Amino acid sequence: GENVEQHPSTLSVQEGDSAVIKCTYSDSASNYFPWYKQELGKGPQLIIDIRSNVGEKKDQRIAVTLNKTAKHFSLHITETQPEDSAVYFCAARIGNTPLVFGKGTRLSVIA
Amino acid sequence: NAGVTQTPKFRVLKTGQSMTLLCAQDMNHEYMYWYRQDPGMGLRLIHYSVGEGTTAKGEVPDGYNVSRLKKQNFLLGLESAAPSQTSVYFCASRAWAHEQYFGPGTRLTVT
């Protein structure tokens, strides 16, 4: 089955700097890649997603890139702010099968 | 539109006791999921449902049962709770080919 690896497990950045989180997936049939943000004590919230027919997608300060050849996708957060501090999860899905999640990255933005 | 709701928010059980966690969604979603979240382990799928009256096993189904008698509700049961089932449980739902939404979680402690 699908396997998703996520790196790094923790990431600290200075406020205003950029943060990058990377994920690799094993099954080339995966065609949907969402990213979730989880704040302390809350459920994961979808922040951006990308489908396999697109190479990059942006939404204000966040962007996701997908490299199907290398089977990896990345989350980019620019101009980080303290409220970006959270745990971020990547995931991959084949068709309508369940999402397979990475183990998460704890991002700390230092003011 | 309340989205995905979970009942209860917190629960403490003694080993061997039983309980049912309720997930409800008001978005007419076909797919519903139960995950558990443990430190360092990410989100692991317990059981899921692709429609009313259907259920399927996920990655970690042992010790849990589920039922989907109504489209809007997905119940997770623990027949004989064990300390290893201490975790935070999240429910999620989605429509076909659409993004997945999570509930706020249930924190369960088994002593």
Side-chain angles (χ1 to χ4, degrees):
Chain A
E2 176 63 283
N3 182 54
V4 177
E5 299 282 342
Q6 183 172 348
H7 299 281
S9 56
T10 60
L11 179 61
S12 291
V13 299
Q14 293 290 329
E15 182 178 0
D17 287 351
S18 296
V20 180
I21 303 170
K22 298 181 179 180
C23 290
T24 60
Y25 59 99
S26 60
D27 197 322
S28 57
S30 289
N31 59 358
Y32 176 67
F33 308 91
W35 285 89
Y36 286 84
K37 176 184 181 182
Q38 186 178 26
E39 296 176 338
L40 194 62
K42 297 186 177 181
Q45 182 178 15
L46 179 72
I47 55 171
I48 196 167
D49 58 7
I50 192 168
R51 298 186 186 273
S52 59
N53 58 348
V54 176
E56 183 176 4
K57 185 177 179 180
K58 287 184 179 180
D59 183 2
Q60 299 182 354
R61 293 187 298 108
I62 61 173
V64 57
T65 58
L66 172 64
N67 183 326
K68 288 189 293 183
T69 302
K71 290 190 284 188
H72 67 72
F73 57 111
S74 300
L75 177 71
H76 305 253
I77 306 174
T78 59
E79 300 173 14
T80 53
Q81 301 167 4
E83 51 264 39
D84 294 328
S85 295
V87 178
Y88 292 81
F89 291 97
C90 65
R93 188 172 77 204
I94 303 169
N96 274 302
T97 61
L99 286 170
V100 176
F101 286 87
K103 287 186 166 45
T105 296
R106 183 174 298 278
L107 174 65
S108 299
V109 180
I110 304 163
Chain B
N1 190 331
V4 180
T5 58
Q6 293 184 231
T7 308
K9 289 184 169 52
F10 303 93
R11 185 73 187 268
V12 178
L13 286 178
K14 294 187 186 302
T15 298
Q17 288 184 321
S18 64
M19 77 163 294
T20 301
L21 282 67
L22 170 64
C23 176
Q25 51 91 7
D26 60 0
M27 298 174 282
N28 202 35
H29 286 170
E30 295 90 355
Y31 297 80
M32 296 188 75
Y33 305 88
W34 275 108
Y35 296 87
R36 61 177 289 172
Q37 185 175 37
D38 304 292
M41 299 296 290
L43 292 155
R44 292 185 292 170
L45 183 65
I46 305 171
H47 286 281
Y48 65 101
S49 169
V50 301
E52 183 178 321
T54 75
T55 63
K57 293 181 180 180
E59 179 187 358
V60 288
D62 294 342
Y64 305 94
N65 56 74
V66 288
S67 64
R68 183 110 181 260
L69 299 179
K70 294 182 179 181
K71 186 176 185 179
Q72 64 267 36
N73 295 338
F74 195 28
L75 279 63
L76 178 71
L78 286 73
E79 291 187 346
S80 180
S84 60
Q85 294 177 305
T86 293
S87 189
V88 182
Y89 292 85
F90 288 101
C91 176
S93 72
R94 70 176 178 93
W96 184 83
H98 280 71
E99 57 269 23
Q100 182 166 307
Y101 297 94
F102 281 85
T106 294
R107 186 173 295 275
L108 175 66
T109 301
V110 183
T111 62

